Amino acid sequence: MIDLDPIQPICIAGQWHQGGGDLYHSLYPATGEVIARLHAASLEDVEAAIVGADRAFRESGWAQRKPHERAAVLYRIAALIRERSEALAQLQRLDNGKPIRETRNLVASAAATFQFFAAACETLEETITPSRGDFVTLSVYEPMGVVAAITPWNSPIASEAQKLAPALAAGNAVVLKPAEVTPLAALALARICIDAGLPPGLVSVLPGKGSVIGDALTRHPLVKRVSFTGGTRTGKHIARIAADKMMPVSMELGGKSPTLVLADADLDHAVAGVLYGIFSSSGESCIAGSRLFVTREHYAPFMELLAAGAAALRVGDPADERTQMGPLITAQHRESVERYVELGLQEGGRLRTGGRRPQGEVFDRGYFYTPTIIEGLSNDARLCQEEVFGPVLVAMPFDSEEALLEEANASCYALAAGIWTRDFQRAWRLGRALQAGTVWINTYKQFSIATPFGGWRDSGLGREKGRLGILQYMEQKSLYWGLNEQPLAWAGGQR
Ligand code: NAD
């Protein structure tokens, strides 16, 4: 097990010491118990981490190592994550209350991410472009320097690996700011990076408030890129700061993803997929399928099955392997989910199931909420347009494919969508017409590190994952290599 020290040190430019900011507690959302005490980073810590990262970038030789040598360190990181996987999965469960089944998958995904970007790094090709003159032209990539990675609380270890692995593979240094309420996985990852032989200083982890630490990181002149995952409002704020610095950013933001159940869908598959799409991770998932459209002719029987399925989900102790839904992240977040449910009802919605805190001793101290389905709203209701980030599904019938597409696309978000149909042509037609970064057909919330991920519109900018995901952490450069034996004609004639 990872030792949860009474006061957790934080990692600043390769050194472990107490943060200079306020003392705060990390709580286990299932019981409200304190699982770790730590001092947030101070602004002085931010400065030290960035200056240290810049020095490590310039002096450690990491960026100059051959790609296969950097890859070797990343392969070791992947191996260490696997070696420590059970401890990491338990840590992540305590850190954010997700069921252990889920945190084991997240840890496995973090290891796979390092392995994948190690391979991407050692196989990344630079190109000789077609020459159009007396020169050879090449397109090559250079690391950027210090990258700031800012992550949310909902799947820490996976989101953090998704940024650390490609940024390090590309030869950069990374200053990582995890969400204030879930700092532990990031700190554990930093230890692993150092244990795997990453030169010290290349990774720092700065827990603390986003408006202080994240903001200072974003504004710092030595930070050359921000990779952000979190809410749309925060993302836009960071993008504005980045615009002044002319700094590239990537943004993985919120969503309100539609799921479409067509008349010819396999109903058992669709019910299971819709339940998983919205209620896994307690709905605290950017790609949660939170708006459901079901063909009117099958709406009533489908909703019967769905509501029964939702009511039967096992909400409870995250340490129990059978648990499907754990608590929400904090008491405040549960209150925000409750306010959204109330709002939906005020807007004219009807509660089909859920809409309350579960009762019983196991739930008394944690931030649990029942899987909730609300019907009777139109797509322009606030509950259908705003991200709840909790286990709340709004369900609506539809009459025609045309109206369906219009409503499904009518959102400021465009992160993901799901289609359930056995009609191949229809799946193709809808799959191409839906406006979203990811469309799942007859499945939902499946992920592959090999496949690009990101959102359109208010759901984000840029793409993570995929073999070329490493390129967002590199600057492209064109080299022209002259082959002319005579001076350039324009001035050469002067001599
Ligand atoms: P958030 O925007 O409040 O916080 C995200 C991170 O940004 C945290 O580390 C926070 O401390 C930091 N932050 C806050 N204010 C900042 C500022 N002014 N400057 C710099 N950093 C700042 O989001 P959250 O509540 O932690 O996470 C939930 C949101 O994340 C949801 O909207 C969800 O959809 C989104 N999300 C998106 C994806 C994706 O891949 N698209 C994945 C997971 C979560």
Side-chain angles (χ1 to χ4, degrees), residues 290-347:
S290 50
R291 281 187 300 149
L292 172 66
F293 296 93
V294 183
T295 176
R296 193 177 295 277
E297 55 183 303
H298 291 130
Y299 185 80
F302 186 82
M303 291 308 295
E304 280 294 316
L305 291 172
L306 192 72
L313 290 173
R314 285 186 298 274
V315 182
D317 178 4
D320 184 334
E321 307 211 342
R322 291 162 310 167
T323 294
Q324 289 163 298
M325 261 178 65
L328 300 181
I329 186 75
T330 58
Q332 295 87 323
H333 186 56
R334 179 171 62 177
E335 282 162 21
S336 147
V337 169
E338 288 173 329
R339 279 196 298 277
Y340 264 118
V341 170
E342 249 168 60
L343 171 74
L345 301 181
Q346 280 160 15
E347 287 183 299

Side-chain angles (χ1 to χ4, degrees), residues 276-289:
Y276 178 62
I278 178 64
F279 297 125
S280 57
S281 313
S282 301
E284 294 172 329
S285 165
C286 55
I287 34 97

Side-chain angles (χ1 to χ4, degrees), residues 25 35 37 61 103 111 119 154 158 168 220 223 239 278 302 326 364 377 385 441 455 477:
H25 297 150
I35 50 153
R37 294 191 300 140
T103 61
N154 63 319
L168 292 172
H220 202 288
V223 169
I278 178 64
F302 186 82
D364 279 355
L377 290 171
Q385 290 295 318
I441 299 165
K477 180 189 283 174

Side-chain angles (χ1 to χ4, degrees), residues 151-153 177 210 214 228-231 234 252-254 286 387 389 453:
T151 52
W153 44 260
K177 199 214 87 62
F228 174 78
T229 301
T234 318
E252 300 288 350
L253 308 177
C286 55
E387 187 185 39
F389 218 57
F453 177 78

Side-chain angles (χ1 to χ4, degrees), residues 53-65 171-173 198-202:
D54 181 58
R55 188 178 313 115
F57 174 71
R58 288 182 290 104
E59 296 175 5
S60 71
W62 176 247
Q64 290 72 36
R65 283 196 204 176
N172 300 295
L198 191 76
L202 285 175

Side-chain angles (χ1 to χ4, degrees), residues 13-320:
Q15 306 294 316
W16 291 88
H17 52 78
Q18 200 167 294
D22 293 342
L23 178 69
Y24 77 98
H25 297 150
S26 176
L27 306 179
Y28 182 32
T31 60
E33 278 167 287
V34 173
I35 50 153
R37 294 191 300 140
L38 67 164
H39 283 267
S42 62
L43 288 176
E44 290 70 33
D45 295 334
V46 175
E47 185 64 23
I50 295 174
V51 169
D54 181 58
R55 188 178 313 115
F57 174 71
R58 288 182 290 104
E59 296 175 5
S60 71
W62 176 247
Q64 290 72 36
R65 283 196 204 176
K66 299 281 178 277
H68 70 280
E69 294 167 342
R70 287 204 300 271
V73 175
L74 268 76
Y75 285 124
R76 280 203 292 280
I77 296 174
L80 280 180
I81 293 176
R82 290 191 176 113
E83 229 175 271
R84 301 178 193 176
S85 61
E86 187 54 24
L88 288 167
Q90 297 293 354
L91 184 76
Q92 172 93 87
R93 169 180 68 80
L94 292 168
D95 212 13
N96 88 336
K98 274 179 189 285
I100 187 67
R101 243 163 62 173
E102 205 175 314
T103 61
R104 287 191 182 124
N105 287 337
L106 290 174
V107 171
S109 135
T113 298
F114 275 96
Q115 181 178 321
F116 180 85
F117 281 110
C121 171
E122 64 179 345
T123 58
L124 180 69
E125 290 180 353
E126 296 174 320
T127 44
I128 298 181
T129 56
S131 174
R132 293 180 71 93
D134 206 4
F135 42 73
V136 172
T137 45
L138 299 97
S139 174
V140 300
Y141 301 99
E142 309 287 2
M144 300 173 118
V146 181
V147 169
I150 304 180
T151 52
W153 44 260
N154 63 319
S155 300
I157 201 164
S159 335
E160 281 143 18
Q162 244 161 263
K163 299 189 186 309
L164 277 174
L168 292 172
N172 300 295
V174 183
V175 179
L176 169 60
K177 199 214 87 62
E180 193 180 12
V181 291
T182 53
L184 301 183
L187 292 166
L189 272 181
R191 276 198 197 280
I192 285 177
C193 289
I194 294 166
D195 291 353
L198 191 76
L202 285 175
V203 171
S204 289
V205 176
L206 304 177
K209 275 201 176 3
S211 54
V212 180
I213 307 301
D215 201 75
L217 267 178
T218 308
R219 291 180 196 278
H220 202 288
L222 286 176
V223 169
K224 302 300 183 206
R225 165 179 268 280
V226 171
S227 175
F228 174 78
T229 301
T232 299
R233 187 186 305 188
T234 318
K236 287 184 177 176
H237 173 78
I238 291 173
R240 282 185 207 106
I241 298 171
D244 277 344
K245 284 172 69 180
M246 220 47 192
M247 170 178 67
V249 285
S250 50
M251 297 280 161
E252 300 288 350
L253 308 177
K256 192 80 193 178
S257 301
T259 301
L260 287 39
V261 178
L262 284 302
D264 57 7
D266 179 317
L267 288 193
D268 289 339
H269 282 231
V271 167
V274 172
L275 290 172
Y276 178 62
I278 178 64
F279 297 125
S280 57
S281 313
S282 301
E284 294 172 329
S285 165
C286 55
I287 34 97
S290 50
R291 281 187 300 149
L292 172 66
F293 296 93
V294 183
T295 176
R296 193 177 295 277
E297 55 183 303
H298 291 130
Y299 185 80
F302 186 82
M303 291 308 295
E304 280 294 316
L305 291 172
L306 192 72
L313 290 173
R314 285 186 298 274
V315 182
D317 178 4
D320 184 334

